[in-house]
Every structure is written in structure tokens, then in C-alpha cells.
């Protein structure tokens, strides 16, 4: 999108709608023929708009009333935003799976439906291995739009004055999709305020944003250990997944043994990527009904649970370094504010991955169900809170906002994907914005321990004496 067009759009929405624009309650994605009926099950391949459907009609809509500070005295003094990169192309590994499925469908599918003819005669395999997870234009827009919305949600924090004054700091993973998302976020702000005379730096910090690569114990015990995901493998070979594969084979009219669990996953991803990248309700989506999509969603949630979530203790402990960095920023802001100084780092924007966010959310205790996700309890987990379709769409974001409410009273508010949350275990009347000291007491053991070096080293048996 040309810069001048982007500026006109931003200025229009900002001027006409202002920061008081409210959510539409009449948006029903299921009534829109351009949105796949199964889009809400796309897990980490889902659009941000499925989590916040009001954005479908107005991509810059915000609702400041959700913040609800306990008194009019409360003012924001620091905001940290930990954000997943925007919409991206599939990885080369998934492109290869998709290519294999496409070739099978093109050569062997014998069904006569019009959607299948469309795949065989009109659709082309346009994904290539060199795309390998790169940011797409939709991903650029994801971050530009998010930047504008956050500036409307927190206008005293994410402001032109603070950006020009150097009070907003940008940190990113080294991966191209994260660097380009960071550039897009900055472009959203500079476009909003028509800043053309200055550029703003960002720092690449993989120790913070890709901590999982540097945690030896996680790499050895989980990432490179096939048995760590045994529950995932069992589910993929189990009756629910087998039924999905059989239904796909029936719809294509190919032998059952032609459709593997990898093929089913590739078909699901083709539907998801066509929609996320091109906003197309692809004929590939016709291979699934809602029941099938729920099974596919569970398969991916199971993988995330065991690889990045509550399945193994080291998954969350690998994020200790990010946890301590977060609270040290909050403490520094609190100390500067207490001493009457201007908070030096008013806003920190950190861009990483789903694999950055999920271990930290897990460490903080969010989205923990009473029972672990396993290969055998799919039927009893339909109401689970651990659902990556809701937690981790493209451009997912965790915000922690520190408020000074007067008289030395500091409060901390967590938001995920622009929705308020309550810290697990803090359930008083003001649970969505508890006292900062209460939050620190709640996480006391982690603040006193959770040492990245100690947690991440491989424990070796003592040498024989």
C-alpha cells in the first residue's frame, strides 16, 4: 500500500472515529461467505480478526472502556508489549507437505464436485520453499494496524512526543519476519503522525526473544527428543484423526491409505494459509467440516501443550530470562516514578514468536486447565481454556501496563490480544488491575528463583568417587 494512501486511511479513521470508537456487536463472521466456517479453529495459523471479530468491519477500532482503572487518578507510567510477528508464508517443511497433497489431488482425486474441479483445473501450487516463513503483506498490515490501535488505547504512552523523545524502545528476534514486523509497527506510528524527518532504532536480542534456542535442557529434553511429544503422536494415530483422514479420502474419492495424518494437516494448512494471506475462502476448506476442524485444532493444541506449554516444566522455565527482564523493567519504572523522575523507558515493544509468548504465558499460569491435554481425553477437553486459536493468532500480543493510582499505589494490568485478563490466583474485586506488590508476592518464588542458566543446563549424574 503506498505511504500516502496509508496516511490518508489512518488520518480518516483517527479523525472521524477517534479513540472512543466502540466494538460492533453485530459482526458475525459465520454469516460471511468469504470467511471459512472453520476459520476459528486455525490455531497458530489463524487471523487476529477471528479473535477480535469487530476488527473485520473496522480494523482500527478500539474500546478504551475495557481498561476500567479503579479510580480517575490512575495514570499509565509504563507499558510492555510482547508481540508475535504478523501473518507469514508457510515454512519450507510445510510447503513440501502441501506440494505432496496437491500432486495427489491433481492426479488421483476422482470426485466430481465443482470445488474439486476448481482445485484440479484452476488452483495452482503457488507456495515455494524459498518463502520459508517470511512476512506477507497482510503481516505488514497486522503490525501497522496494531500500532495505531495501541496508540489509541494508550494515547498518553504511545504518543508522537514519547516516540520522538526516545521513550519508546523496540526489541526484536533476528528472524526476518520479526524484524519486518518491527519495522511495520514503527511505520504504523510514523505514518499515523506523518513523521518523515526521523528514523527510530530497534535492537535485535535473541537471548530474550528466542530464549528457547539457547536453553540447552529444553533443546535436548523436548525439542530434539521425539518421546517428549509421544501424546501428540498417539493422537495423530488415534481414532479421531483416523476418522478425519477417512472423511477427506471419501470427499476426494481416493483410497484411505493415500491420506496420511501429514496429508490431513497439509490440507488444513492450505485452507488456513489461503485465508490468512489472501482472505480467500479456498476450495481446500471443503475437505473439512466443523467436527474435523475441531480435531485438527486439538492436534495442534496438543503439540503446543507438550512442546511449549504445561506438558514439560522446562517449556515454561526456558522463559525465565524474559520473565526477569519484564519485571526488572516494571521495577525500574516504579522506582523512577517513586523518585519523581520521568520514566525513562515508557514503552517497550518486543517482537518475537508464538514460541516466545506461550512459554511466558505458561510460566505466569494463564490458560491452565484442571487436566492435562492427552491423546485420550479429546472428548472431555471441548471446553478447555488452553486453545491456541484464541491465544496465539498472528500478531498475538501480551501487554502489561503499570499504573500510578496516587498515594504510592501502583497497579498492573495484563491484556492479551487487546482484552483484559486476570492474573491466576489474584481474584479480588480489582483482579484485572491488582496492586503491583500483590502481583510480585504472587510470583515471589519465580522472582527469587527461575534462574535461566540453572534451569537450562543439562543435569549430569555425579562422577563416580
Amino acid at each position: 500500500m503506498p505511504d500516502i494512501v496509508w496516511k490518508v486511511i489512518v488520518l480518516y479513521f483517527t479523525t472521524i472515529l477517534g479513540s472512543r470508537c466502540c466494538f460492533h456487536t453485530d459482526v458475525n463472521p459465520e454469516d460471511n461467505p468469504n470467511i471459512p466456517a472453520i476459520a476459528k479453529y486455525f490455531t497458530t495459523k489463524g487471523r487476529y480478526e477471528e479473535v477480535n471479530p469487530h476488527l473485520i468491519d473496522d480494523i482500527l477500532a478500539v474500546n478504551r472502556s475495557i481498561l476500567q482503572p479503579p479510580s480517575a487518578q490512575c495514570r499509565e507510567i509504563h507499558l510492555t508489549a510482547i508481540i508475535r510477528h504478523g501473518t507469514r508464508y508457510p515454512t519450507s517443511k510445510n510447503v513440501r507437505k502441501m506440494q505432496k497433497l496437491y500432486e495427489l489431488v491433481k492426479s488421483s482425486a476422482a470426485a466430481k464436485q465443482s470445488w474439486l474441479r476448481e482445485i484440479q483445473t484452476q488452483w495452482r501450487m503457488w507456495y515455494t520453499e524459498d518463502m520459508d516463513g517470511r512476512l506477507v503483506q497482510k503481516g505488514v498490515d497486522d503490525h501497522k494496524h496494531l500500532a495505531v490501535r495501541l496508540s489509541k488505547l494508550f494515547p498518553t504512552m504511545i504518543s508522537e512526543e514519547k516516540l520522538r523523545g526516545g521513550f519508546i524502545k523496540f526489541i526484536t528476534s533476528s528472524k526476518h519476519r520479526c524484524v519486518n514486523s518491527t519495522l511495520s509497527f514503527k511505520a504504523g506510528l510514523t505514518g499515523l503522525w506523518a513523521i518523515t524527518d526521523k528514523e527510530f532504532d530497534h535492537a535485535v536480542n535473541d537471548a530474550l526473544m528466542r530464549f528457547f534456542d539457547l536453553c540447552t535442557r529444553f533443546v535436548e529434553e523436548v525439542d530434539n527428543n521425539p518421546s517428549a511429544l509421544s501424546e501428540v503422536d498417539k493422537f495423530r494415530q488415534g481414532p479421531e484423526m483416523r476418522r478425519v483422514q477417512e472423511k477427506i479420502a471419501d470427499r476426494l474419492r481416493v483410497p484411505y491409505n493415500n491420506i496420511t495424518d501429514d496429508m490431513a494437516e497439509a490440507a488444513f494448512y492450505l485452507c488456513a494459509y489461503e485465508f490468512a494471506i489472501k482472505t480467500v475462502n479456498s476450495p481446500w476448506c471443503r475437505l473439512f467440516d466443523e467436527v474435523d476442524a475441531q480435531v485438527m485444532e486439538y492436534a495442534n493444541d496438543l503439540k503446543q501443550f507438550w512442546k511449549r506449554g504445561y506438558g514439560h516444566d522446562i517449556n515454561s522455565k526456558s522463559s525465565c530470562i524474559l520473565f526477569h527482564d519484564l519485571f526488572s523493567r516494571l521495577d525500574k519504572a516504579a522506582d523512577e516514578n517513586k523518585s519523581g523522575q520521568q520514566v525513562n523507558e515508557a514503552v517497550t515493544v518486543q517482537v518475537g514468536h508464538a514460541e516466545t509468548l506461550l512459554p511466558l504465558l505458561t510460566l505466569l499460569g494463564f490458560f491452565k486447565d484442571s487436566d492435562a491435554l492427552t491423546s485420550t481425553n479429546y472428548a472431555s477437553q471441548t471446553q478447555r481454556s488452553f486453545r491456541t486459536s484464541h491465544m496465539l493468532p498472528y500478531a498475538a500480543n501480551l501487554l502489561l501496563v503499570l499504573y500510578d493510582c496516587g498515594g504510592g499505589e501502583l497497579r498492573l494490568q495484563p491484556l492479551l490480544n487487546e482484552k483484559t485478563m486476570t492474573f491466576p490466583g489474584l481474584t479480588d474485586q480489582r483482579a484485572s488491575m491488582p496492586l503491583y506488590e500483590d502481583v510480585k508476592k504472587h510470583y515471589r518464588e519465580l522472582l527469587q528463583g527461575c534462574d535461566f542458566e540453572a534451569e537450562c543446563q543439562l543435569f549430569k549424574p555425579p562422577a563416580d568417587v
Side-chain angles (χ1 to χ4, degrees):
M1 184 184 292
D3 281 350
I4 187 66
V5 176
W6 165 251
K7 287 174 187 173
V8 169
I9 290 171
V10 168
L11 288 172
Y12 169 80
F13 276 108
T14 306
T15 305
I16 302 300
L17 299 171
S19 64
R20 294 174 61 193
C21 176
C22 297
F23 291 169
H24 300 290
T25 56
D26 57 349
V27 177
N28 184 1
E30 292 174 8
D31 294 338
N32 189 332
N34 298 317
I35 297 177
I38 62 173
K40 61 186 175 184
Y41 303 111
F42 285 160
T43 68
T44 56
K45 308 295 186 286
R47 293 193 314 174
Y48 194 77
E49 290 88 334
E50 267 54 62
V51 174
N52 288 307
H54 62 276
L55 298 177
I56 294 169
D57 276 359
D58 177 4
I59 197 63
L60 298 178
V62 299
N63 181 8
R64 292 205 74 224
S65 68
I66 64 167
L67 301 177
Q68 295 185 324
S71 81
Q73 276 186 289
C74 296
R75 60 183 181 86
E76 302 102 338
I77 60 170
H78 176 80
L79 183 156
T80 284
I82 303 171
I83 312 174
R84 185 190 179 196
H85 58 75
T87 307
R88 62 165 175 81
Y89 287 117
T91 59
S92 53
K93 178 182 175 183
N94 282 331
V95 169
R96 287 191 293 272
K97 291 180 183 178
M98 289 151 63
Q99 177 72 40
K100 191 173 178 183
L101 173 69
Y102 173 62
E103 288 168 0
L104 172 76
V105 171
K106 200 166 171 61
S107 64
S108 303
K112 303 298 183 189
Q113 285 88 345
S114 59
W115 59 265
L116 181 57
R117 281 202 305 276
E118 184 181 342
I119 291 175
Q120 291 176 320
T121 62
Q122 297 175 37
W123 194 86
R124 65 180 182 87
M125 179 60 190
W126 63 278
Y127 300 100
T128 56
E129 288 189 39
D130 59 358
M131 290 175 171
D132 197 25
R134 292 185 178 276
L135 198 71
V136 300
Q137 182 58 46
K138 174 65 166 65
V140 170
D141 294 340
D142 288 339
H143 274 255
K144 281 186 171 182
H145 294 147
L146 178 62
V148 173
R149 289 197 306 275
L150 293 185
S151 74
K152 291 167 70 177
L153 200 55
F154 300 101
T156 63
M157 300 299 290
I158 302 179
S159 66
E160 181 177 0
E161 179 187 5
K162 282 200 164 47
L163 182 63
R164 285 187 176 277
F167 297 105
I168 301 179
K169 183 174 182 180
F170 299 94
I171 298 170
T172 178
S173 150
S174 63
K175 287 289 184 181
H176 40 68
R177 55 186 168 272
C178 296
V179 173
N180 289 331
S181 292
T182 306
L183 295 173
S184 302
F185 191 99
K186 290 191 284 184
L189 298 182
T190 55
L192 173 61
W193 299 312
I195 297 173
T196 57
D197 61 328
K198 190 171 183 180
E199 293 189 354
F200 303 94
D201 294 335
H202 61 262
V204 173
N205 189 334
D206 281 345
L208 284 180
M209 307 318 292
R210 292 185 62 83
F211 50 77
F212 42 88
D213 283 343
L214 305 175
C215 182
T216 308
R217 188 172 151 224
F218 168 76
V219 171
E220 293 297 320
E221 293 184 3
V222 179
D223 204 21
N224 291 342
N225 177 11
S227 68
L229 301 185
S230 60
E231 289 297 317
V232 182
D233 296 334
K234 287 181 206 168
F235 185 76
R236 287 176 66 117
Q237 302 304 318
E240 294 92 354
M241 273 294 287
R242 194 177 313 116
R243 183 65 189 128
V244 172
Q245 292 163 228
E246 289 170 353
K247 286 165 73 176
I248 292 173
D250 287 340
R251 290 178 182 119
L252 294 173
R253 286 188 57 196
V254 298
Y256 283 170
N257 62 4
N258 280 14
I259 304 297
T260 63
D261 57 326
D262 273 353
M263 291 267 196
E265 183 181 65
F268 197 61
Y269 285 168
L270 273 165
C271 172
Y273 279 116
E274 289 286 277
F275 182 57
I277 296 171
K278 297 161 65 176
T279 323
V280 168
N281 188 350
S282 161
W284 290 105
C285 300
R286 300 292 292 273
L287 288 171
F288 300 90
D289 59 27
E290 188 169 20
V291 172
D292 304 328
Q294 290 168 347
V295 173
M296 299 304 297
E297 179 191 43
Y298 189 76
N300 193 56
D301 284 354
L302 203 54
K303 179 180 177 183
Q304 298 297 334
F305 181 91
W306 289 96
K307 193 166 186 178
R308 307 289 176 179
Y310 291 102
H312 301 286
D313 186 58
I314 189 56
N315 295 347
S316 61
K317 293 292 176 60
S318 67
S319 71
C320 286
I321 189 169
L322 183 58
F323 171 86
H324 282 296
D325 178 75
L326 169 63
F327 276 91
S328 69
R329 288 175 197 281
L330 293 168
D331 280 345
K332 185 169 181 287
D335 290 344
E336 288 172 347
N337 181 68
K338 185 178 180 180
S339 64
Q341 302 174 49
Q342 182 168 14
V343 175
N344 186 48
E345 196 172 309
V347 178
T348 310
V349 176
Q350 299 176 291
V351 181
H353 307 263
E355 297 87 348
T356 311
L357 272 168
L358 185 52
L360 181 62
L361 288 169
T362 303
L363 190 69
L364 293 170
F366 291 109
F367 306 107
K368 186 171 187 179
D369 296 291
S370 54
D371 296 318
L373 276 64
T374 70
S375 58
T376 57
N377 65 358
Y378 167 72
S380 64
Q381 289 284 12
T382 54
Q383 302 302 312
R384 67 189 181 278
S385 62
F386 190 94
R387 199 177 291 270
T388 55
S389 297
H390 299 169
M391 298 153 59
L392 295 168
Y394 292 119
N397 50 91
L398 173 64
L399 308 182
L400 288 129
V401 189
L402 190 63
Y403 291 80
D404 181 343
C405 293
E409 182 180 291
L410 297 182
R411 291 184 173 273
L412 187 64
Q413 181 170 51
L415 298 94
L416 185 70
N417 301 330
E418 300 170 73
K419 298 173 183 176
T420 57
M421 298 194 295
T422 57
F423 285 106
L426 292 172
T427 54
D428 64 23
Q429 291 180 332
R430 298 173 180 177
S432 67
M433 199 182 289
L435 291 170
Y436 181 48
E437 283 305 312
D438 287 349
V439 175
K440 292 212 293 183
K441 284 177 190 170
H442 181 67
Y443 293 116
R444 182 171 53 239
E445 286 186 18
L446 290 172
L447 287 166
Q448 292 172 353
C450 203
D451 180 87
F452 179 81
E453 296 296 331
E455 295 289 350
C456 288
Q457 70 180 359
L458 281 172
F459 295 102
K460 297 177 182 177
D464 292 334
V465 178

